[in-house]
Amino acid sequence: MTERILVTGGAGFIGSHYVRTLLGAESPEDTVPDVRVTVLDKLTYAGNLTNLAPVCAHPDFSFVQGDICDPDLVGRLSAEHDQVVHFAAESHVDRSIDASAEFIRTNVTGTHTLLDAAHRAGIKTFLHVSTDEVYGSTERGSWPETDPLRPNSPYSASKAASDLIALSYHRTHGLDVRVTRCSNNYGHHHYPEKIIPLFITNLLDGRKVPLYGDGGNVRDWLHIDDHVRALELARTRGRAGEVYNIGGGTELSNRELTRLLLAVCGATWDESVEYVTDRKGHDRRYSVDWTKIREELGYTPRKDFATGLAETVRWYRDNRAWWEPLVSELRRPAQLRR
Ligand code: NAD
C-alpha cells in the first residue's frame, strides 16, 4: 500500500536528503517503493528549492510552501496524509543566542500545531526529528535515551520542549509518535553557517576559519546518508512512544576536525586558523549512546568519516553555484542582510 508522507522542512539540509533518498535521487539501493511525498516548507533562509530540484518532476512528489504554525494549512495537509516526518525547525545555535523568539515559535508552537493536527486527522505515524543537544553537555560517558534532558541553549531548550510535547501526544492521545535524537550531521547541501561547510567554503576561498574558544569542544559526527537510513528504520520498524538516539561513531574535538579539514583542503594551521571568542554557554561535549537503535532496529553507521569528509569537500569544490550566493549573503554585515 502506498504511504502518503508529509515531510516538514524538506527543503533544508537533512529533510531534502531524506526526500531525495526516498524518491531515488541519492543512492539507488536506499530508494523506498510505494511512497508519495509532500514537502511542507516555509522556505526560510535555510530552505532552498534547489535542494529538491532532482525530485521536483517525480510523479510522487509535491511541494507546498507554508508555515507549520498555520493550523488550517497543517490540518488540511494532515487529513491528506498517512504519516508525518517532521524536520522543520530553526536549527542554528548561534542564531538562537542572538534572537530566540523564532526558535520558540517554530520549534515549540509549530511542533505542537502539527501534533494537534496529526492527532485530529488520525495520522498513523509521526516521526519527530530531534537532536542530541537536548541532553545538555557531558565530560564523560554517553547518554542513553532514559537520561534526563538538560538543554543549555535556547535552540536545544526549544527542541527539548518539542520532544516532550510530542511524547505527551503519545501518552495522552495514543498518537504513534517516535522521537529520534541524532548527533551532528555532515554532508553535501549543508547550509554554510554550520562548522563543516563554513570551514570548507572559507578554505576554498583562501580565507581563515574561525575556531571557537580553545577548540576543545567535542562532537560526534554522523554522515547524512547514515542519518537518513536510521530515520527510515525508525519510521518503518520503530515502536510508538519510543525515543531512539542516532550516533555516527566519530567523536572529534573542533581542533581535531579543523586539522582534518585543513589536510583535505591543502591548507596549513598557521595560515588558516584564527581563534575567536567562544560561543556563549558553549556545550563542551555531546555523546549519545545508540545501543538501542543498533540492537532493536539493526542500525550501524556505514560511512567512514575520512571518506565522508573527502566526498563532502569535493561536493563543495564542484558546486560553487549552490553555495556562493549563500556565502556572500552571510559575509555581508549583519545589518545589511535580508
Ligand atoms: P535546516 O535549518 O537546514 O532546515 C530547516 C528547514 O525547515 C528549512 O528548509 C526551513 O525553511 C524549514 N522551516 C523553518 N521554519 C519553518 C516553519 N515555521 N514552517 C515550515 N518550514 C520551516 O535544518 P537541518 O539541519 O536540516 O535539521 C533538520 C532537523 O534535524 C531539525 O529539526 C534539527 O533540529 C534536527 N537536527 C539537525 C542536526 C544537524 O546536524 N543539522 C543535528 C541534530 C538534529
Side-chain angles (χ1 to χ4, degrees):
M1 202 192 74
T2 301
E3 296 283 359
R4 299 166 302 170
I5 308 178
L6 179 62
V7 178
T8 72
F13 167 50
I14 307 172
S16 67
H17 199 89
Y18 179 74
V19 171
R20 291 191 307 270
T21 304
L22 254 50
L23 297 179
E26 289 292 332
S27 30
E29 71 275 14
D30 290 331
T31 305
V32 177
D34 301 328
V35 290
R36 282 223 304 273
V37 176
T38 305
V39 167
L40 168 62
D41 198 296
K42 189 178 170 185
L43 296 180
T44 68
Y45 80 94
N48 189 340
L49 273 183
T50 316
N51 297 352
L52 295 167
V55 293
C56 69
H58 195 291
D60 294 319
F61 172 80
S62 51
F63 179 81
V64 175
Q65 182 170 3
D67 192 333
I68 57 166
C69 299
D70 176 346
D72 294 337
L73 175 63
V74 298
R76 222 169 37 249
L77 288 171
S78 297
E80 294 164 0
H81 290 82
D82 307 304
Q83 302 190 336
V84 174
V85 181
H86 175 37
F87 295 95
E90 287 295 329
S91 70
H92 190 42
V93 177
D94 288 348
R95 288 182 189 249
S96 82
I97 294 167
D98 293 341
S100 55
E102 199 52 35
F103 286 72
I104 307 305
R105 198 187 85 88
T106 293
N107 301 0
V108 183
T109 307
T111 301
H112 169 255
T113 307
L114 270 175
L115 285 160
D116 212 51
H119 159 54
R120 288 173 200 288
I123 283 286
K124 256 173 43 188
T125 306
F126 189 110
L127 183 64
H128 175 64
V129 180
S130 189
T131 167
D132 60 358
E133 301 193 28
V134 297
Y135 294 113
S137 182
T138 183
E139 290 288 328
R140 67 193 73 81
S142 302
W143 305 289
E145 290 81 356
T146 46
D147 256 34
L149 306 188
R150 296 192 180 92
N152 293 315
S153 70
Y155 163 67
S156 54
S158 69
K159 292 296 291 188
S162 68
D163 287 19
L164 296 179
I165 298 168
L167 291 167
S168 82
Y169 267 72
H170 171 68
R171 289 299 292 264
T172 306
H173 298 296
L175 181 65
D176 177 345
V177 170
R178 302 158 192 201
V179 174
T180 57
R181 296 184 181 141
C182 67
S183 52
N184 276 32
N185 284 223
Y186 73 101
H188 54 84
H189 291 91
H190 202 181
Y191 192 82
E193 66 187 350
K194 308 278 169 72
I195 183 168
I196 288 186
L198 170 68
F199 280 22
I200 294 173
T201 53
N202 275 11
L203 292 170
L204 292 179
D205 276 351
R207 297 166 74 107
K208 286 183 186 280
V209 299
L211 190 57
Y212 274 143
D214 64 359
N217 304 72
V218 173
R219 301 292 183 262
D220 170 55
W221 290 98
L222 168 65
H223 191 271
I224 186 90
D225 287 349
D226 287 323
H227 186 200
V228 163
R229 274 191 309 102
L231 290 173
E232 268 305 274
L233 288 170
R235 179 182 74 84
T236 56
R237 293 168 41 194
R239 286 181 294 136
E242 293 296 320
V243 177
Y244 296 96
N245 287 340
I246 305 170
T250 304
E251 271 194 31
L252 294 171
S253 70
N254 286 342
R255 257 194 321 270
E256 292 167 322
L257 173 67
T258 303
R259 278 194 203 292
L260 293 173
L261 281 168
L262 291 171
V264 182
C265 295
T268 63
W269 188 276
D270 290 345
E271 281 174 5
S272 303
V273 179
E274 64 177 343
Y275 285 97
V276 296
T277 310
D278 206 355
R279 169 191 281 168
K280 279 195 205 169
H282 203 171
D283 285 336
R284 194 65 179 171
R285 176 172 172 266
Y286 300 141
S287 182
V288 281
D289 177 338
W290 43 277
T291 309
K292 177 174 171 181
I293 193 167
R294 188 183 67 224
E295 291 187 349
E296 196 176 308
L297 304 181
Y299 163 78
T300 354
R302 286 185 195 152
K303 184 73 84 173
D304 147 76
F305 187 73
T307 310
L309 197 66
E311 288 172 0
T312 304
V313 170
R314 197 173 320 124
W315 187 86
Y316 281 87
R317 224 188 271 282
D318 294 345
N319 288 277
R320 277 186 168 268
W322 183 87
W323 58 265
E324 276 179 342
L326 308 177
V327 159
S328 65
E329 182 66 17
L330 287 170
R331 289 178 188 162
R332 273 151 57 95
Q335 66 275 18
L336 298 179
R337 282 187 217 144
R338 276 182 279 129

